[in-house]
Amino acid sequence: MINRKKPAKNLLTVEIRDIHQLQFRYMPFVEQGGLFIETSESYELGEQFFLLLRLIDEVEQLPLAVQVVWLAGSNVKNPHRPGIGVQFTDPDNEAKDRIETYLAGAMNAPAATATL
């Protein structure tokens, strides 16, 4: 679920509710980790903003500085969806470690993802 705070474009809230959704969105090939976020909003490569990420059943949101590194326009074909790929830009964030802990054992399993 994505909730954009209006009118500021510099804050996005994302909630990932299950392991399947996390595996679908996670971008392990991005340095420092990254996520694909479905959105119809317009972004540009290199654009930076803050992301509040809630993982699975965690109560606390992770505040993350991110940068757009992937664009998927409205012309993408199934199973892919329009949106953006973001890279976690703070090298000290714990998001990558938390995500990879949730996905332990599933990261090399064949499954469709939002990006590849």
Side-chain angles (χ1 to χ4, degrees):
M1 172 181 279
I2 298 173
N3 297 315
R4 173 153 304 218
K5 305 289 184 185
K6 299 288 185 186
K9 187 178 175 182
N10 62 353
L11 179 64
L12 191 65
T13 301
V14 174
E15 182 176 351
I16 298 178
R17 297 180 182 193
D18 60 47
I19 296 295
H20 175 71
Q21 196 178 80
L22 183 59
Q23 185 178 17
F24 183 74
R25 296 177 188 286
Y26 184 53
M27 298 169 56
F29 52 85
V30 173
E31 187 176 332
Q32 297 176 210
L35 287 174
F36 180 79
I37 302 168
E38 292 178 40
T39 182
S40 59
E41 295 287 334
S42 177
Y43 286 88
E44 295 181 21
L45 284 175
E47 189 171 345
Q48 297 180 348
F49 59 92
F50 290 98
L51 177 69
L52 293 175
L53 176 63
R54 179 168 292 144
L55 292 172
I56 316 295
D57 56 358
E58 295 182 7
V59 174
E60 193 175 300
Q61 292 178 319
L62 293 170
L64 303 167
V66 298
Q67 178 175 342
V68 177
V69 295
W70 183 289
L71 297 173
S74 59
N75 58 342
V76 295
K77 299 199 178 4
N78 272 338
H80 305 293
R81 299 178 179 138
I84 57 173
V86 298
Q87 175 186 34
F88 308 142
T89 59
D90 181 358
D92 295 326
N93 82 65
E94 58 187 88
K96 180 178 180 178
D97 291 339
R98 281 175 132 164
I99 289 169
E100 290 182 357
T101 297
Y102 276 114
L103 296 177
M107 289 198 33
N108 295 325
T113 68
T115 55
L116 297 174

